Amino acid sequence: MSRKKKKIAILGCGWVGNALKAKLEALGDEVNCLCRDINMDTLVGFYNCDALVIAIPPSNEYLDVIEDVYFSVSLNEAIDTQMIFLSSTSFYDDKKIIVEAEELAKIKDENTIILRLAGLMGYDRIAGKYTAGETIKDGPTNYVHRDDVVGVIESVIEKRIKNKIFNVIAPIQSTKKELFRQNSEKFGFEETHFRGETKDVKPHSSEVLCEVLGYEFSKKDVKDFWN
């Protein structure tokens, strides 16, 4: 059976959005990157879509942009658009803007899928590279590979999942000290120095996501992200 072509819109074609666009286009979907000009995107019909992925980082205009996007989608009453909001596991740290954004998304459309992403890694984003030579506290890692973020979004769209909140994090984590040291030796940048002991923090889990979607992570272990 041939796969039905979908029309997808992505707000925020950055590091994740561009990779997602390439993957979905390779599957035969029509993918449009939204700009901040709501009127132009509406005029060309980009909001008339099967799924819309909100993949923008928090900013001073974050909540206003989210509200505008949901309003624009609501104008297409005949289209049941699947809304996918990329959030962050920093929600659990009570980061105000993240909490408010999730609440707004759910108020605007209770069927919104919220994906709480761990720290994005892979390819040129190498854990330990950006703290080389610095002294920081040790602690558990909280990372996910970009390939799996793209894979999860693709699966959510394909299965038409609605009204769920998933953590998206690699199943096997490490400590910063262990992972950063491994990467400094592998890639030749200066080591990060650590003070204090690893905190006993319960890690976030993608178990529910894997059960509902039947998804299997391609990069399970953070120590294998750059192999």
Side-chain angles (χ1 to χ4, degrees):
M1 181 182 293
S2 61
R3 179 180 179 278
K4 182 181 177 181
K5 179 179 178 180
K6 298 178 178 63
K7 184 177 179 181
I8 313 295
I10 303 174
L11 177 65
C13 283
W15 198 62
V16 170
N18 271 314
L20 176 64
K21 183 176 187 292
K23 181 69 178 293
L24 294 176
E25 286 180 335
L27 293 173
D29 292 332
E30 176 189 338
V31 185
N32 297 301
C33 285
L34 303 178
C35 64
R36 294 300 177 98
D37 188 337
I38 299 291
N39 292 329
M40 179 58 70
D41 288 333
T42 302
L43 184 65
V44 296
F46 286 175
Y47 283 102
N48 184 348
C49 56
D50 298 299
L52 192 152
V53 181
I54 300 175
I56 54 173
S59 67
N60 292 334
E61 301 174 343
Y62 196 43
L63 299 180
D64 290 337
V65 172
I66 292 171
E67 183 141 16
D68 287 345
V69 168
Y70 275 92
F71 174 74
S72 298
V73 170
S74 71
L75 297 178
N76 300 296
E77 295 181 358
I79 305 298
D80 182 20
T81 300
Q82 180 190 29
M83 299 297 291
I84 303 169
F85 180 68
L86 303 192
S87 184
S88 166
T89 53
S90 62
F91 173 90
Y92 299 110
D93 299 323
D94 262 343
K95 190 169 183 180
K96 184 179 179 182
I97 191 68
I98 300 299
V99 173
E100 290 179 346
E102 286 197 14
E103 290 175 347
L104 177 60
K106 279 297 188 179
I107 289 171
K108 294 300 180 182
D109 184 349
E110 64 180 9
N111 286 320
T112 297
I113 288 287
I114 294 178
L115 301 179
R116 291 175 180 161
L117 308 183
L120 292 165
M121 289 290 170
Y123 301 102
D124 59 333
R125 290 195 181 185
I126 304 169
K129 178 180 178 181
Y130 305 104
T131 55
E134 297 181 12
T135 300
I136 64 172
K137 287 185 178 180
D138 194 8
T141 57
N142 180 55
Y143 297 138
V144 65
H145 197 283
R146 187 182 71 180
D147 288 354
D148 280 309
V149 174
V150 170
V152 166
I153 298 171
E154 177 196 340
S155 182
V156 164
I157 293 173
E158 192 66 28
K159 298 177 186 297
R160 290 290 294 174
I161 302 295
K162 293 186 177 182
N163 194 19
K164 294 287 185 182
I165 298 176
F166 295 129
N167 293 330
V168 186
I169 180 173
I172 303 174
Q173 296 292 316
S174 179
T175 63
K176 293 177 182 178
K177 186 174 183 178
E178 184 178 5
L179 182 60
F180 290 15
R181 180 171 294 167
Q182 168 197 287
N183 287 347
S184 68
E185 292 174 356
K186 181 171 184 176
F187 295 100
F189 51 75
E190 188 178 352
E191 280 194 23
T192 299
H193 307 289
F194 292 92
R195 65 176 185 276
E197 297 180 356
T198 302
K199 295 179 181 178
D200 184 16
V201 178
K202 184 178 179 180
H204 305 306
S205 170
S206 291
E207 186 176 347
V208 174
L209 178 151
C210 294
E211 289 176 357
V212 174
L213 294 182
Y215 184 79
E216 183 173 349
F217 279 74
S218 62
K219 298 286 189 178
K220 295 183 174 68
D221 191 331
V222 294
K223 289 183 283 189
D224 296 332
F225 276 15
W226 297 274
N227 291 343

